[in-house]
Amino acid sequence: HDDRKFQLRLAAAKQMERRIQKIIEQRMSRNAPTLRTYQSDVGSSNQSLAISKELTAIEDGNFKVGDAIVDTQSSKSLLNRYFLSVPIEPFVRSRRETLLAYMPTFEDDRLILPVHLPREIRYVLLPERYKSLPKREKQKVLSLMACVRLHSYGLLNDRLLPLTRKDMHN
Protein backbone atom coordinates (compact mmCIF):
# COMPACT_ATOMS: atom_id res chain seq x y z
CA HIS A 1 0.00 0.00 0.00
CA ASP A 2 2.83 2.43 0.86
CA ASP A 3 4.67 1.46 -2.32
CA ARG A 4 1.67 2.49 -4.36
CA LYS A 5 1.56 5.95 -2.70
CA PHE A 6 5.28 6.33 -3.29
CA GLN A 7 4.88 5.42 -6.98
CA LEU A 8 2.08 7.98 -7.35
CA ARG A 9 4.21 10.67 -5.69
CA LEU A 10 7.19 9.75 -7.84
CA ALA A 11 5.08 9.85 -11.01
CA ALA A 12 3.67 13.26 -10.03
CA ALA A 13 7.16 14.55 -9.28
CA LYS A 14 8.48 13.32 -12.63
CA GLN A 15 5.56 14.94 -14.42
CA MET A 16 6.19 18.24 -12.61
CA GLU A 17 9.90 18.09 -13.47
CA ARG A 18 9.04 17.56 -17.16
CA ARG A 19 6.71 20.58 -17.06
CA ILE A 20 9.38 22.75 -15.45
CA GLN A 21 11.97 21.59 -17.98
CA LYS A 22 9.59 22.43 -20.84
CA ILE A 23 8.99 25.93 -19.45
CA ILE A 24 12.74 26.50 -19.09
CA GLU A 25 13.36 25.32 -22.66
CA GLN A 26 10.65 27.66 -23.95
CA ARG A 27 12.18 30.60 -22.08
CA MET A 28 15.64 29.65 -23.31
CA SER A 29 14.52 29.65 -26.92
CA ARG A 30 13.06 33.15 -26.45
CA ASN A 31 16.19 34.58 -24.79
CA ALA A 32 18.86 32.86 -26.86
CA PRO A 33 20.51 34.74 -29.74
CA THR A 34 18.75 34.16 -33.02
CA LEU A 35 20.43 32.86 -36.13
CA ARG A 36 21.45 35.35 -38.79
CA THR A 37 19.65 34.66 -42.04
CA TYR A 38 21.53 35.13 -45.26
CA GLN A 39 19.62 36.43 -48.27
CA SER A 40 21.82 34.58 -50.77
CA ASP A 41 22.66 31.53 -48.66
CA VAL A 42 19.47 30.16 -47.18
CA GLY A 43 18.95 26.58 -45.99
CA SER A 44 21.15 23.77 -47.25
CA SER A 45 23.49 26.02 -49.24
CA ASN A 46 24.28 27.86 -45.99
CA GLN A 47 25.02 24.51 -44.34
CA SER A 48 27.31 23.54 -47.23
CA LEU A 49 29.14 26.85 -46.95
CA ALA A 50 29.60 26.38 -43.19
CA ILE A 51 30.84 22.80 -43.64
CA SER A 52 33.38 23.79 -46.31
CA LYS A 53 34.66 26.56 -44.00
CA GLU A 54 34.93 23.99 -41.19
CA LEU A 55 36.97 21.61 -43.35
CA THR A 56 39.26 24.41 -44.49
CA ALA A 57 39.76 25.51 -40.88
CA ILE A 58 40.75 22.05 -39.63
CA GLU A 59 43.13 21.57 -42.55
CA ASP A 60 44.74 24.95 -41.77
CA GLY A 61 44.60 24.32 -38.01
CA ASN A 62 42.88 27.68 -37.46
CA PHE A 63 40.01 29.92 -38.53
CA LYS A 64 40.68 33.56 -39.25
CA VAL A 65 38.22 36.43 -39.64
CA GLY A 66 39.92 39.79 -40.15
CA ASP A 67 42.41 40.14 -37.29
CA ALA A 68 40.65 37.54 -35.12
CA ILE A 69 41.87 33.96 -35.10
CA VAL A 70 40.89 30.78 -33.30
CA ASP A 71 42.97 27.62 -33.50
CA THR A 72 42.69 24.08 -32.20
CA GLN A 73 44.35 25.11 -28.90
CA SER A 74 41.90 27.95 -28.13
CA SER A 75 38.70 26.66 -29.76
CA LYS A 76 37.41 24.62 -26.81
CA SER A 77 37.68 27.54 -24.39
CA LEU A 78 35.98 29.85 -26.94
CA LEU A 79 33.20 27.32 -27.35
CA ASN A 80 32.64 27.16 -23.59
CA ARG A 81 32.84 30.95 -23.34
CA TYR A 82 30.10 31.28 -25.96
CA PHE A 83 27.74 28.86 -24.24
CA LEU A 84 28.31 30.39 -20.82
CA SER A 85 27.43 33.80 -22.30
CA VAL A 86 24.00 32.65 -23.47
CA PRO A 87 21.37 33.89 -20.98
CA ILE A 88 19.78 31.03 -19.08
CA GLU A 89 17.49 30.85 -16.09
CA PRO A 90 19.10 30.75 -12.62
CA PHE A 91 17.28 27.46 -11.98
CA VAL A 92 19.17 25.87 -14.89
CA ARG A 93 22.54 27.04 -13.56
CA SER A 94 21.77 25.68 -10.08
CA ARG A 95 21.44 22.03 -11.15
CA ARG A 96 24.26 20.17 -12.84
CA GLU A 97 21.93 17.94 -14.89
CA THR A 98 20.02 20.84 -16.42
CA LEU A 99 23.12 22.97 -16.96
CA LEU A 100 24.75 20.16 -18.95
CA ALA A 101 21.88 20.30 -21.47
CA TYR A 102 23.03 23.84 -22.28
CA MET A 103 26.72 22.99 -22.63
CA PRO A 104 28.49 21.27 -25.54
CA THR A 105 28.78 17.49 -25.14
CA PHE A 106 31.58 15.47 -26.68
CA GLU A 107 30.94 11.93 -27.79
CA ASP A 108 33.44 9.71 -29.57
CA ASP A 109 33.34 11.20 -33.08
CA ARG A 110 30.88 14.04 -32.68
CA LEU A 111 30.07 17.13 -30.68
CA ILE A 112 26.50 17.88 -29.67
CA LEU A 113 25.78 21.57 -29.23
CA PRO A 114 23.18 22.76 -26.70
CA VAL A 115 19.41 22.52 -27.00
CA HIS A 116 18.73 26.18 -27.77
CA LEU A 117 20.31 25.80 -31.23
CA PRO A 118 18.35 24.44 -34.20
CA ARG A 119 18.65 20.69 -34.72
CA GLU A 120 20.30 21.04 -38.14
CA ILE A 121 23.39 22.74 -36.69
CA ARG A 122 23.61 21.00 -33.30
CA TYR A 123 25.58 17.95 -34.42
CA VAL A 124 29.21 18.47 -35.43
CA LEU A 125 30.58 15.29 -36.99
CA LEU A 126 34.26 14.49 -37.17
CA PRO A 127 35.51 13.88 -40.72
CA GLU A 128 36.60 10.30 -41.41
CA ARG A 129 40.32 11.07 -41.73
CA TYR A 130 40.48 12.50 -38.18
CA LYS A 131 38.76 9.56 -36.44
CA SER A 132 42.07 7.90 -35.56
CA LEU A 133 43.25 10.88 -33.48
CA PRO A 134 43.49 10.63 -29.69
CA LYS A 135 40.40 11.72 -27.76
CA ARG A 136 41.77 15.14 -26.76
CA GLU A 137 42.80 15.97 -30.34
CA LYS A 138 39.36 14.92 -31.62
CA GLN A 139 37.77 17.32 -29.14
CA LYS A 140 40.01 20.15 -30.34
CA VAL A 141 39.13 19.52 -33.99
CA LEU A 142 35.40 19.28 -33.19
CA SER A 143 35.60 22.50 -31.14
CA LEU A 144 37.26 24.36 -34.00
CA MET A 145 34.58 23.12 -36.39
CA ALA A 146 31.88 24.27 -33.96
CA CYS A 147 33.44 27.74 -33.64
CA VAL A 148 33.46 28.09 -37.44
CA ARG A 149 29.83 26.95 -37.57
CA LEU A 150 28.75 29.39 -34.85
CA HIS A 151 30.44 32.24 -36.74
CA SER A 152 28.88 31.14 -40.04
CA TYR A 153 25.43 31.30 -38.46
CA GLY A 154 26.08 34.70 -36.88
CA LEU A 155 26.36 33.51 -33.28
CA LEU A 156 29.97 34.66 -32.90
CA ASN A 157 30.86 38.15 -34.08
CA ASP A 158 33.68 39.06 -36.47
CA ARG A 159 36.10 39.25 -33.53
CA LEU A 160 35.15 35.61 -32.87
CA LEU A 161 33.57 36.52 -29.56
CA PRO A 162 30.07 35.83 -28.24
CA LEU A 163 27.58 38.43 -29.39
CA THR A 164 27.11 41.47 -27.19
CA ARG A 165 23.87 43.44 -26.95
CA LYS A 166 25.41 45.98 -29.32
CA ASP A 167 26.11 43.21 -31.87
CA MET A 168 22.52 41.95 -31.59
CA HIS A 169 21.08 45.42 -32.23
CA ASN A 170 23.20 45.87 -35.38
Side-chain angles (χ1 to χ4, degrees):
H1 189 253
D2 285 337
D3 284 343
R4 192 174 185 152
K5 282 183 183 180
F6 177 74
Q7 287 177 345
L8 287 174
R9 288 183 196 152
L10 181 60
K14 285 181 179 180
Q15 184 179 16
M16 183 62 73
E17 185 176 21
R18 281 192 298 273
R19 285 182 184 166
I20 291 169
Q21 185 67 28
K22 191 173 187 177
I23 290 168
I24 290 170
E25 287 175 6
Q26 288 171 344
R27 286 185 182 176
M28 277 297 300
S29 65
R30 271 185 278 167
N31 293 334
T34 55
L35 294 177
R36 180 189 318 158
T37 55
Y38 295 96
Q39 299 304 327
S40 60
D41 299 319
V42 179
S44 64
S45 61
N46 193 25
Q47 283 181 319
S48 298
L49 178 64
I51 290 170
S52 73
K53 285 182 180 179
E54 292 170 19
L55 295 175
T56 301
I58 56 177
E59 287 171 9
D60 295 346
N62 64 60
F63 177 62
K64 190 172 184 174
V65 177
D67 292 332
I69 189 166
V70 62
D71 60 17
T72 54
Q73 298 302 317
S74 60
S75 58
K76 192 171 180 182
S77 62
L78 174 59
L79 193 61
N80 288 324
R81 181 177 178 181
Y82 166 75
F83 288 110
L84 290 172
S85 75
V86 173
I88 57 177
E89 298 288 327
F91 172 77
V92 173
R93 289 190 190 272
S94 67
R95 292 188 54 214
R96 177 177 161 80
E97 302 82 36
T98 54
L99 180 61
L100 289 177
Y102 296 94
M103 294 297 292
T105 305
F106 291 96
E107 291 183 353
D108 190 39
D109 292 334
R110 72 178 181 167
L111 169 61
I112 303 171
L113 300 176
V115 296
H116 73 274
L117 295 173
R119 176 178 292 269
E120 60 270 11
I121 69 167
R122 284 188 61 211
Y123 298 93
V124 181
L125 303 175
L126 192 67
E128 193 66 39
R129 72 175 123 174
Y130 298 97
K131 290 186 177 185
S132 62
L133 292 174
K135 179 180 176 181
R136 190 171 286 174
E137 294 303 312
K138 286 181 184 180
Q139 290 181 356
K140 289 177 183 179
V141 169
L142 288 166
S143 296
L144 181 60
M145 291 174 69
C147 290
V148 173
R149 186 172 298 183
L150 291 173
H151 179 266
S152 296
Y153 282 90
L155 297 169
L156 290 176
N157 65 24
D158 286 339
R159 295 171 308 206
L160 296 176
L161 295 172
L163 297 178
T164 62
R165 288 186 182 170
K166 182 180 175 184
D167 293 323
M168 288 184 210
H169 290 293
N170 291 339

